[in-house]
Amino acid sequence: MSVQVPIAEKIIRTVLVYALILILFRLAGKRGLANLNTFDFVVIFLLSNVVQNAIIGPDNSLLGGVIGAFTLIAVNSAVNRWLAGDSRAERLLEGTPTTVIEDGKLVPQAMRDLALRSAEIEHAVRMQNGEAIADVASGRLEPDGHLIITLKPTEQNATRGDVEALQARLTTIENLLKDLATGRPS
């Protein structure tokens, strides 16, 4: 097996293309894989084809592909470890959360900046047990594309503690009613 492009050049090309794609996705905005729409998938598929030659050059050998794949996995692993240990790098490369809902209303500027449609946000709210955007006290889009919402207190589901407290109060009321029915004062 011979490699048509020197191994060092192939590694450097792969690292540079990885960095370029990382920067492009960072500039493009916050969308996790779960939030990709059809257009996003088309871009990803075409992008992989467009950058293939930039990574491997004219080398179509098995060894050339293995070197490119190994380099991509190694660089990605190193970047993930770096981000896990360095909060400044995480903010720089992944960004910060953006508030998209405040007091039951969409934040128009944030929606425009993130290129989000209200239907996308409404769907995410319903997936998190909200009925409508009006039910949300606050909602923020995380750098990974996940929408984190906090429902208004009046719209939140009861917790196990809430149910147990109500059950204790009902038991107390039942006991009082029994005492009244039998004529015994409490």
Side-chain angles (χ1 to χ4, degrees), residues 13 18 20 27 35 38 55 65 69 73 78 86 88 96 120 125-126 135 140 151 159 173 176 178 180:
R13 290 170 82 143
Y18 180 91
L20 173 67
L27 294 175
N35 300 322
T38 304
I55 290 176
I73 299 299
D86 187 344
R88 288 182 311 198
T96 56
E120 292 174 300
V125 167
R126 285 191 302 277
D135 298 344
R140 70 178 192 274
L151 294 173
T159 65
I173 291 170
L176 288 172
K178 280 183 198 174
L180 285 174

Side-chain angles (χ1 to χ4, degrees), residues 36-57:
L36 296 179
N37 62 34
T38 304
F39 305 110
D40 297 328
F41 277 113
V42 169
V43 168
I44 287 173
F45 290 137
L46 292 175
L47 189 60
S48 66
N49 194 41
V50 167
V51 301
Q52 176 184 353
N53 287 339
I55 290 176
I56 63 172

Side-chain angles (χ1 to χ4, degrees), residues 66-142:
V66 168
I67 292 168
F70 178 81
T71 303
L72 278 174
I73 299 299
V75 169
N76 191 58
S77 178
V79 168
N80 283 326
R81 290 176 192 277
W82 178 40
L83 293 176
D86 187 344
S87 60
R88 288 182 311 198
E90 182 181 15
R91 275 192 311 279
L92 175 69
L93 294 179
E94 293 186 345
T96 56
T98 303
T99 300
V100 294
I101 304 172
E102 284 185 270
D103 195 27
K105 293 180 178 69
L106 293 173
V107 178
Q109 186 61 46
M111 297 290 289
R112 277 191 300 278
D113 291 348
L114 297 171
L116 289 172
R117 297 184 308 266
S118 58
E120 292 174 300
I121 300 296
E122 290 168 1
H123 175 72
V125 167
R126 285 191 302 277
M127 295 299 292
Q128 295 185 47
N129 297 324
E131 292 293 321
I133 291 172
D135 298 344
V136 178
S138 68
R140 70 178 192 274
L141 191 65
E142 294 293 320

Side-chain angles (χ1 to χ4, degrees), residues 19-33:
L20 173 67
I21 299 296
L22 184 71
I23 291 167
L24 290 174
F25 274 113
R26 173 67 176 96
L27 294 175
K30 300 172 181 160
R31 281 194 190 268
L33 288 177

